[in-house]
């Protein structure tokens, strides 16, 4: 039975993963577009600064409702339609109030953020984050109904439109303006610069909201105040967890302008750090794809007796493939460094550190199953607050001395610590027999292969890449022979039976 569950999880992960990987890759391609157009890291640093606040308010405006939604949708004594409609009404109301409040108080907000030159940049992202927060429930409903194809289609549509409008405003319009300014000068301002990044995002978000409207129709809306109270009681620790988590991941974007005395230096450091950090999105893509399939999976499987075995297997395969991705990225850094412009490449050394931090966070997410299923979500909040304190302190103390490198190490140590603490308490309150020996074996093996691939100096770049490719193939073969036997793959098994 556990094998059947893993096949179902793998199937959903593959579909979510395809949309996440393809979508993230396409969105990923916007980074070189941006850094090669805005060659001064200061400009890209300002973009990262605004998006840092967007990430923070995205968590605040969803206030843990996504996980609470899954928890109550899978309770036998709850009406699923009521849960869905109540969640929609709650998030819709709070998102609308957020937009109205920000429009009224944009003056004080832009002054507090020290971003008074273009307050409309902030307002555009206010609309984006409010709509994104509201749309988490329709997206979650698609996952609950096991409609990964529809989910993937909408997600990819956003990426498509975002890229389309970025290219239109940043590439096509300047070209047209050079030769025929009268055609577009009624809506296009040549020196508006990074503002078009935010405008493209806002237009794309509105289009996606329209696409999701059919998923919010066809049933009677019923707002249950008592149900909302129960959901919020369950979810509010997850809000704290989420806020602490986003601070852990976006602390550089949120703090650099306040850490450095020189604002230009702050945005320059932030621009380099943020651009190089985008290279690590390869592992973030894998983690997110797994998360989309895993969260509804853990609540759905909670009723089965052998659920802990499924969770242990999921953890094992997550770590194995995450380490494979880690080696793949670090081995081909000689190619991936061209992903960012020349003035940004000084920061590529942070990539291995940041990637391991992402893997630790992915493991921490997998471990979170114990406090979500036992309704002890306050533990997750406590862990994340503790990690947040560590991250902020390391950044405040060491970033002024060592620059953005300190931010990468802060994330590494923070995620390592909260991962370890969560494992300890998880074994106490909801014991799961993770295969620690296999996980330890692959961790050590990855370290050996990483050192063998990066510390042996080969001057010729082609030979160096060939050597690392051979190492990667050997590592993959070891995985297949030890923990992914080819005979278990249906098409190969069928062939050998013949």
């Amino acid at each position: 039975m556990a094998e059947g569950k893993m096949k179902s999880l793998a199937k959903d992960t593959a579909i979510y993963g395809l949309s996440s990987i393809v979508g993230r890759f396409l969105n990923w391609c916007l980074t070189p577009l941006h850094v090669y157009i805005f060659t001064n890291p200061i400009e890209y640093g300002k973009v990262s600064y605004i998006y840092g606040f967007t990430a923070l308010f995205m968590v605040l405006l969803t206030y843990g409702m996504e996980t609470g939604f899954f928890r109550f949708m899978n309770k036998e004594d709850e009406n699923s339609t009521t849960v869905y409609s109540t969640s929609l009404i709650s998030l819709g109301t709070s998102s609308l109030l957020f937009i109205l409040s920000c429009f009224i108080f944009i003056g004080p907000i832009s002054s507090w953020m020290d971003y008074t030159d273009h307050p409309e940049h902030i307002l555009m992202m206010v609309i984006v984050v409010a709509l994104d927060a509201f749309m988490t429930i329709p997206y979650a409903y698609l996952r609950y109904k096991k409609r990964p194809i529809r989910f993937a289609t909408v997600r990819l549509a956003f990426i498509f439109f975002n890229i389309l409008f970025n290219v239109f405003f940043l590439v096509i319009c300047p070209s047209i303006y050079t030769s025929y300014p009268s055609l577009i000068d009624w809506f296009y301002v040549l020196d508006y610069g990074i503002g078009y990044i935010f405008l493209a995002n806002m237009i794309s978000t509105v289009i996606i909201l329209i696409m999701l409207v059919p998923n919010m129709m066809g049933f009677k809306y019923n707002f249950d105040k008592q149900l909302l109270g129960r959901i919020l009681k369950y979810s509010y620790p997850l809000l704290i967890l989420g806020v602490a988590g986003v601070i852990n991941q976006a602390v550089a974007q949120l703090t650099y302008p306040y850490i450095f005395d020189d604002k230009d230096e702050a945005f320059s450091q932030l621009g380099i750090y943020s651009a190089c950090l985008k290279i690590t999105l390869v592992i973030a893509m894998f983690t997110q794809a797994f998360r989309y399939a895993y969260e509804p999976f853990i609540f759905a499987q909670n009723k089965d007796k052998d659920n802990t075995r499924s969770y242990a297997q999921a953890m094992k395969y997550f770590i194995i493939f995450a380490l494979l991705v880690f080696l793949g990225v670090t081995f081909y850094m000689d190619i991936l460094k061209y992903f960012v412009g020349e003035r940004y490449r000084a920061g590529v050394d942070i990539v291995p550190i940041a990637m391991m931090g992402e893997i630790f966070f992915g493991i921490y997410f997998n471990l979170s199953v114990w406090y979500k299923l036992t309704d002890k979500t306050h533990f997750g909040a406590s862990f994340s607050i503790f990690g947040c304190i560590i991250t902020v302190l390391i950044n405040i103390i060491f970033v002024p001395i060592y620059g953005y490198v300190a931010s990468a190490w802060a994330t590494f140590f923070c995620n390592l610590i909260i991962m370890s603490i969560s494992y300890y308490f998880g074994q106490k309150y909801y014991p799961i027999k993770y295969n620690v020996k296999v996980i330890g074996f692959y961790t050590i093996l990855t370290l050996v292969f990483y050192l063998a691939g990066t510390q042996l100096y080969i001057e010729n770049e082609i030979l160096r890449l060939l050597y690392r490719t051979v190492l990667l193939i050997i590592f993959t073969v070891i995985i297949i022979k030890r923990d992914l036997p080819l005979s278990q793959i249906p098409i190969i098994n069928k062939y050998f039976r013949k």
Side-chain angles (χ1 to χ4, degrees):
M1 184 178 291
E3 290 182 3
K5 295 173 192 172
M6 296 314 299
K7 287 180 181 179
S8 175
L9 177 62
K11 178 184 174 182
D12 287 351
T13 302
I15 298 175
Y16 289 125
L18 181 62
S19 66
S20 179
I21 291 171
V22 173
R24 283 274 188 125
F25 174 76
L26 294 174
N27 204 29
W28 196 47
C29 294
L30 286 176
T31 300
L33 174 68
H34 293 160
V35 299
Y36 278 97
I37 288 177
F38 304 108
T39 55
N40 189 340
I42 293 175
E43 292 298 299
Y44 193 70
K46 292 179 180 179
V47 174
S48 299
Y49 178 57
I50 297 296
Y51 273 104
F53 280 96
T54 301
L56 175 61
F57 278 95
M58 177 67 180
V59 174
L60 289 172
L61 288 174
T62 53
Y63 39 90
M65 285 288 285
E66 184 180 23
T67 302
F69 170 83
F70 283 120
R71 179 59 169 163
F72 283 81
M73 286 290 278
N74 283 282
K75 284 192 171 185
E76 294 180 356
D77 56 342
E78 300 290 354
N79 183 288
S80 60
T81 301
T82 302
V83 173
Y84 185 36
S85 59
T86 299
S87 301
L88 283 173
I89 294 170
S90 177
L91 280 181
T93 302
S94 56
S95 295
L96 181 60
L97 290 174
F98 175 72
I99 292 175
L100 293 175
S101 300
C102 289
F103 269 77
I104 294 171
F105 299 105
I106 185 58
I109 292 171
S110 60
S111 297
W112 173 73
M113 293 179 63
D114 198 13
Y115 200 93
T116 54
D117 291 342
H118 291 283
E120 75 277 7
H121 293 178
I122 300 173
L123 290 177
M124 284 189 283
M125 294 313 295
V126 162
I127 295 173
V128 167
V129 72
L131 295 183
D132 278 344
F134 173 68
M135 291 187 292
T136 56
I137 297 302
Y139 275 127
Y141 185 70
L142 291 175
R143 291 159 59 195
Y144 166 76
K145 299 295 288 185
K146 295 191 179 298
R147 298 183 60 189
I149 295 177
R150 167 69 176 165
F151 178 93
T153 301
V154 178
R155 285 295 228 192
L156 290 175
F158 169 77
I159 302 298
F160 169 78
F161 286 115
N162 195 33
I163 292 174
L164 176 66
F165 289 117
N166 267 272
V167 172
F168 176 72
F169 288 122
L170 299 178
V171 179
I172 297 176
C173 283
S175 179
I176 296 175
Y177 193 89
T178 301
S179 303
Y180 308 100
S182 60
L183 289 177
I184 60 174
D185 60 4
W186 58 277
F187 73 88
Y188 179 75
V189 180
L190 184 61
D191 60 351
Y192 196 54
I194 61 174
Y196 285 118
I197 296 176
F198 305 124
L199 180 60
N201 197 335
M202 184 182 70
I203 296 173
S204 304
T205 302
V206 172
I207 293 174
I208 297 307
L209 175 64
I210 295 171
M211 291 181 64
L212 285 173
V213 167
N215 296 106
M216 296 179 275
M217 299 173 62
F219 59 90
K220 183 180 179 181
Y221 277 78
N222 180 28
F223 181 76
D224 188 329
K225 186 178 179 180
Q226 292 184 341
L227 170 64
L228 178 61
R230 294 196 300 274
I231 296 176
L232 292 177
K233 183 178 179 180
Y234 172 83
S235 299
Y236 88 86
L238 297 176
L239 168 61
I240 301 172
L241 185 156
V243 170
V246 78
I247 291 176
N248 286 341
Q249 295 196 335
V251 64
Q253 290 94 317
L254 296 172
T255 61
Y256 273 35
Y258 304 99
I259 291 177
F260 291 92
D261 294 328
D262 186 341
K263 286 292 186 291
D264 285 345
E265 175 65 15
F267 285 124
S268 179
Q269 289 266 339
L270 181 56
I272 294 172
Y273 177 70
S274 299
C276 292
L277 203 63
K278 289 295 179 70
I279 299 176
T280 69
L281 279 180
V282 175
I283 193 66
M285 294 176 200
F286 173 73
T287 302
Q288 186 183 55
F290 190 86
R291 174 180 174 272
Y292 281 145
Y294 192 58
E295 195 159 63
F297 170 83
I298 62 175
F299 290 118
Q301 303 305 322
N302 186 36
K303 303 169 186 177
D304 298 333
K305 294 180 180 180
D306 62 343
N307 55 355
T308 58
R309 183 184 173 193
S310 299
Y311 304 147
Q313 284 185 310
M315 173 69 84
K316 182 182 75 170
Y317 287 116
F318 170 82
I319 293 176
I320 288 174
F321 287 109
L323 292 175
L324 178 62
V325 173
F326 171 82
L327 287 180
V329 172
T330 54
F331 280 0
Y332 295 102
M333 193 56 61
D334 290 334
I335 298 173
L336 292 174
K337 68 181 181 182
Y338 295 105
F339 175 77
V340 296
E342 187 175 353
R343 294 180 66 179
Y344 295 84
R345 288 175 200 158
V348 296
D349 289 342
I350 69 167
V351 172
I353 304 167
M355 282 195 71
M356 284 308 303
E358 285 286 346
I359 292 174
F360 292 149
F361 184 78
I363 296 172
Y364 171 65
F365 174 80
N366 276 267
L367 292 169
S368 68
V369 62
W370 73 265
Y371 60 74
K372 290 179 180 178
L373 291 180
T374 57
D375 292 346
K376 298 181 184 294
T377 50
H378 62 280
F379 274 98
S382 300
F383 300 153
S384 289
I385 291 173
F386 180 62
C388 177
I389 293 171
I390 295 172
T391 307
V392 171
L393 286 177
I394 293 177
N395 272 270
I396 292 175
I397 296 171
F398 294 105
V399 165
I401 303 171
Y402 300 104
Y404 51 79
V405 175
S407 291
W409 280 111
T411 302
F412 177 95
F413 285 115
C414 164
N415 291 336
L416 174 62
I417 291 170
I418 62 175
M419 174 194 75
S420 303
I421 296 174
S422 183
Y423 174 78
Y424 171 79
F425 281 97
Q427 294 305 299
K428 180 178 179 181
Y429 290 101
Y430 193 86
I432 298 175
K433 293 183 179 179
Y434 295 112
N435 200 327
V436 178
K437 290 184 179 179
V438 171
I439 293 171
F441 167 78
Y442 280 110
T443 302
I444 295 172
L445 189 68
T446 301
L447 177 61
V448 171
F449 273 71
Y450 171 74
L451 294 175
T454 59
Q455 299 305 305
L456 178 62
Y457 180 71
I458 301 176
E459 186 173 356
N460 185 284
E461 185 172 299
I462 295 177
L463 292 178
R464 185 165 63 248
L465 291 173
L466 286 174
Y467 166 68
R468 292 175 177 177
T469 300
V470 171
L471 288 179
L472 193 62
I473 291 172
I474 294 173
F475 187 84
T476 305
V477 170
I478 293 173
I479 292 174
I480 292 173
K481 285 188 171 294
R482 280 182 52 92
D483 289 281
L484 191 64
L486 291 176
S487 60
Q488 290 185 8
I489 300 176
I491 189 170
I492 296 179
N493 189 26
K494 181 179 179 181
Y495 172 79
F496 278 109
R497 282 206 310 267
K498 287 182 177 181

